[in-house]
Amino acid sequence: QAYDTKNSVSATNPTENVVLSQGSIINLDQGDPTIFESYWRKMGDKCTTEISGTDCMSYFSDAGNLCWFLEPQLSDTIKRLHRTVGNAVTEDRYVLVGTGSTQLFQAALYALSSPSGNESISVVCAAPYYSSYKEETEFLQSGLYKWAGDAYAFDKDGPYIEVVTSPNNPDGAIREAVVNREEGKLIHDLAYYWPQYTSITRPADYDIMLFTFSKSTGHAGSRIGWALVKDKVVARKMTKFIEVSSIGVSKESQLRAAKILGVLIENCQHLGTADSDNFFEYSQGLLTKRWEKLRDVVKNSQIFSLPKYPQKWCSFTGKYTESRPGFAWLKCKADIDFEILLRSHKILTRGGERFGVGRQYVRISLLSQEEAFNLFLERLSAIKGQGIISE
Ligand code: PMP
């Protein structure tokens, strides 16, 4: 079914400023993090980066460093950020920057596969998995690696790469590796391991950890991601991949990211005070409200269900909280194509099959602007069981 996205309330193009009407299509397919705009608007000029005509001209940022295109200011700020939040170990790690963590994921696949191997290495992730892993792994039909799907179903001997996404996209679950064999190499995608989404229970301490500016602060358009890598050879190979694919990463973006993350860190000092400007506290509040509203609608429906999240102690906020993921992983009790059902109500989502599971699941972004979210809830509450469930 073709849809005219010109008239959609896009999570992907908020600047279009489409006036919402009852007939608008709401696009909650991508996880475009525009929900966080209101916080950065409050910061006014504090985050403005001025770049003159002579700035950022050289290819090089730090010629003596393994990752020679990483701005030292960004590297320092990333380490300070992890120390402040307590979500990852940075000691004795190489910090690498990428054009989004998307590029770093591909760099990691390259670095972990062996060019001399006579068989391509299998890449697995427990289902439901982030749909882009499959797409990115298969896209170039590389001879180095191949997508092997759900890690739970993986039973091939030999080396493999397992991607562990925690908290998971699409369902928000806290995860560990599932294959656990000696020849396995792990990539930990920690894009959502930030206090607005989940409790920070300990500093993550894995061989390859991926983070992104997109989901930490909401600045997806800057295309900045970073990796913390333990092994020097792997770090070197990942750097080489980025060198060959884009000769580094935009310096303007890196400097802007460093500036914004610097302001975020500074504002973390005021956690829990009446005049707190703490980004994580503020955005946790936004997501908590959305989850409460969504759970109310789901509770009153006879046909939908959501995952439940346990309460966990968060070392950053000093409180017990349950996760508030950036996506709702909604299940329909009826045996139907849920994505198509929602599309007929002018709500665009991503169906379960893209994540390696059934059509009765959809992933819905909760990171859109307020107006789109409210209209989504209105439409969801209007969908009744009659005619969908045959009893
Ligand atoms: N990993 C996960 C789990 C994600 O959800 C996303 C963004 N949707 C990415 C990686 C890619 O992030 P980036 O914008 O940094 O490329």
Side-chain angles (χ1 to χ4, degrees), residues 100-102 130 133 165 169 189 191-192 212 214-215 223-225 327:
S101 70
T102 298
Y130 173 42
Y133 298 144
T165 318
N169 173 359
D189 185 341
Y192 301 95
T212 166
S214 307
K215 307 297 171 167
R223 309 304 307 123
I224 291 292
F327 295 102

Side-chain angles (χ1 to χ4, degrees), residues 81-150:
L81 176 67
H82 287 300
R83 273 199 299 275
T84 305
V85 176
N87 62 342
V89 171
T90 55
E91 287 76 26
D92 303 319
R93 313 280 155 146
Y94 296 93
V95 180
L96 313 179
V97 65
T99 298
S101 70
T102 298
Q103 190 182 33
L104 288 159
F105 173 71
Q106 292 165 55
L109 291 186
Y110 166 75
L112 296 179
S113 47
S114 150
S116 54
N118 41 20
E119 219 191 315
S120 42
I121 187 166
S122 299
V123 181
V124 297
C125 182
Y129 44 72
Y130 173 42
S131 48
S132 296
Y133 298 144
K134 174 174 168 11
E135 208 175 336
E136 287 166 46
T137 307
E138 290 178 337
F139 196 57
L140 294 180
Q141 299 178 19
S142 167
L144 295 177
Y145 45 78
K146 62 168 185 291
W147 180 248
D150 185 3

